[in-house]
Structure formats: C-alpha cells, structure tokens
Amino acid sequence: MNRVLVSGGCGFLGSHLVDSLLLRADVERVVVIDNLWTGALANLAHVSDSRLFIEICDVERFATADRFDEVIHMASPASPPWYMREPLRVIRANVEGALNLLNLLRPGGRFCFTSTSEVYGDPLVSPQPESYRGSVDCTGPRSSYDESKRCTEALLFESQRVSGLDIRVVRLFNAYGPRTRADDGRAVSNFISQALTSRMLTVHGDGLQTRSWGYVDDIIEALARFFWRDACEYRGPLNVGNNREVSVLDVATHITKLLPGTRIKFMPPVPQDPTNRRPDLTIMKRVLPGWTADVPYEEGVRRTLDWFRLQMAARESAIRYEEDRRMAV
Ligand code: UDP
C-alpha cells in the first residue's frame, strides 16, 4: 500500500489530482500540504475519504517523521498576476519546496513534478517539442515562475542522473476548468468571471497572442497515467496540453457570444507576454498512447461557465441567508 504526498493539493489542478488518487485501491494515505495561498479548502470539501489528511503549511517548511512512496510536487501559483506579486515566495515554493520534499521520499520512491510550458518562454519555434530549450529572460517579470520551474527540473533530472532518483516531470500548457479561483486572473477564468459580474472582458494587447487551452479533465487523465497508472520507461519532460492553438481574442469573443450583453475591452499588452504556445505531442503519443485532449475549448468553457454560475448562486444564497438571520435576531 502506498503513502502519497501532494503539495498544492488544495489548488485548482491539485485538488482534481487528489480526487483521482483517491480512486486508487493501492493508496493507504494521501497527505496534502497546502498553505492556502492560491488553493482553498473548499476544493476538497466534498471528500469524505478517511485516507485524506490535509496539512496547512508552506511546502518548504513541512516536516514529518513519515516517509512517502510517491511525492507529487504541485505547490506554486500558476497565474501571472499572482506569481508576479510575490516572486520570492514562488521561488521558495518551487525550489526549496522540492528540496524539502526530496527528504520525505522513501528510498526508491517516486518524485513527480508539474513543470510548465513557461520553460519555453516566448518560443521561437512552434509547436514546442520537449527538446526546445526556450527563449526565457531570467531577469524578466515572469522569471520567478519560469526559472524556478526550470531550476526544479534541473534539480530532479540531475538527481536522477547522479543517484538514480525515480522521477516524472510534466510541462503543463494552459489549463482551465472548475475550481479555478474567481480572482485567479488567468484568461479563461477571468473572462468568465468578468462576464458574470462587470460584463467587460479585459483582453491584453490585440488579443492575437495564442495559447493551447486544455480542459482540466483531460490534463488530469494525462497526469494520472504518467505519474502512476501506466508503466512507462520515459521520465520526462513530457508536454501535457491541448495542441489546438486558439487566440486569446477568439476565446474572449466566444464567451461574449455565450453571454449576450458582455463586451471586450482592450487593455495595454502585458510586458513579455508570450506571443504563442502550442505543445508538440510527438513524445506524448509514444508514452501515453491513445491520450488526447478531447474536450474542445467551446465545450470546456461551457462547463466552466456552468460551474462559476453555481458557485455564484451558492455565494449569493449564503449572503441572503446571513442577512435574513441577522434581521431575525
Ligand atoms: N489575458 C488577457 N486578459 C486577461 C487575462 C489574460 O488578455 O484578463 C491574456 C494574457 O495576456 C495572455 C493570455 O491571455 O496573453 C493567457 O494568459 P494566462 O494568464 O491565462 O496564462 P499565461 O499563458 O500567460 O501564463
């Protein structure tokens, strides 16, 4: 039976991965480490499984006498406005967090890490294969995230080379879906939450910059297969994402069509905003045969919109309940 530690398990992707881990019969305990910086306990509030333990703590500070068969290191904000606000904390979570968690792995255990397509920077080749070394600025505004992911990759691949550490490293392309914070700031969730509140969608620059938008269920299926389900020799890095490239403006326009009365407002471009991003999935096809990002963004956006609506309705009814209760006192 396996003991699994997930850092960042209360986050958007982390909580979905925990759901997937708890479906395993060979897991004895799942320990989630999360400081609730961008994650939320609400993301795991539906879980009543006694194998789940949540520790509210910075990943770089977490200490325990327990040792784990599998460590999955996901703790880090992934939204540019969030990681730009506290860059040192981002570097600590990724790099110091990985160094700390390595001490908690039992000998022969597996260390999994969610790196990012941001390691490709503003790419000069498209699509980006894992062999592409990227066009990244280590003094730029995105460096805390890009470079701490790159440094953690280096730490893990070098540990594998020097001491045979069993690792799995994925590079996640843009992911979206239910359990993204309303104030997360990334494109899809921002557009949806703006459409439902201010009715004005903020598109930075001309909106012609592209991304490859991966729906959460597809992304989690790839992680579950690569991290524990499939027996693969390949350790990474593995691109995980939808390879259909769509401009930011197209996504925003699609959402305005779903919610009549909403409009697009053009904002100044974000400094060093990558112009394009699309995964080369050649290695993915070999390593996880049959995996595809099945959910097109039109469908994924609809599901995410439904979830945001439900969240808003729940919040409003909680506020109304509280007001009624106060009036009654
Ligand atoms: N973006 C935008 N409006 C927003 C949020 C994001 O135009 O309200 C753009 C952003 O400038 C970038 C793209 O959408 O070009 C994707 O941004 P996101 O923060 O989702 O992820 P990134 O790939 O930049 O990390």
Side-chain angles (χ1 to χ4, degrees), residues 201-240:
L201 283 62
T202 55
V203 168
H204 293 288
D206 56 15
L208 299 182
Q209 65 273 33
T210 58
R211 295 291 187 274
S212 305
W213 314 94
Y215 187 67
V216 60
D217 292 0
D218 291 331
I219 304 304
I220 294 297
E221 172 64 10
L223 297 190
R225 285 186 59 182
F226 189 54
F227 286 171
W228 66 78
R229 204 183 301 149
D230 288 26
C232 12
E233 286 296 305
Y234 186 71
R235 308 294 176 89
L238 181 70
N239 284 342
V240 173

Side-chain angles (χ1 to χ4, degrees), residues 163-283:
S163 60
L165 181 71
D166 180 7
I167 59 168
R168 295 285 185 276
V169 175
V170 292
R171 292 180 177 159
L172 299 176
F173 285 66
N174 294 65
Y176 69 96
R179 302 191 200 158
T180 325
R181 299 172 66 104
D183 62 353
D184 174 84
R186 275 174 286 183
V188 175
S189 57
N190 221 28
F191 293 154
I192 289 177
S193 112
Q194 289 170 332
L196 292 172
T197 52
S198 66
R199 321 217 33 95
M200 199 73 93
L201 283 62
T202 55
V203 168
H204 293 288
D206 56 15
L208 299 182
Q209 65 273 33
T210 58
R211 295 291 187 274
S212 305
W213 314 94
Y215 187 67
V216 60
D217 292 0
D218 291 331
I219 304 304
I220 294 297
E221 172 64 10
L223 297 190
R225 285 186 59 182
F226 189 54
F227 286 171
W228 66 78
R229 204 183 301 149
D230 288 26
C232 12
E233 286 296 305
Y234 186 71
R235 308 294 176 89
L238 181 70
N239 284 342
V240 173
N242 192 325
N243 65 353
R244 177 177 165 211
E245 197 172 7
V246 179
S247 77
V248 170
L249 187 58
D250 281 350
V251 174
T253 305
H254 177 71
I255 294 171
T256 58
K257 285 187 187 142
L258 291 178
L259 288 158
T262 57
R263 289 197 297 121
I264 289 172
K265 179 179 172 191
F266 287 94
M267 307 288 284
V270 174
Q272 293 199 9
D273 197 357
T275 51
N276 69 98
R277 199 62 72 64
R278 179 177 171 220
D280 182 316
L281 295 178
T282 309
I283 295 181

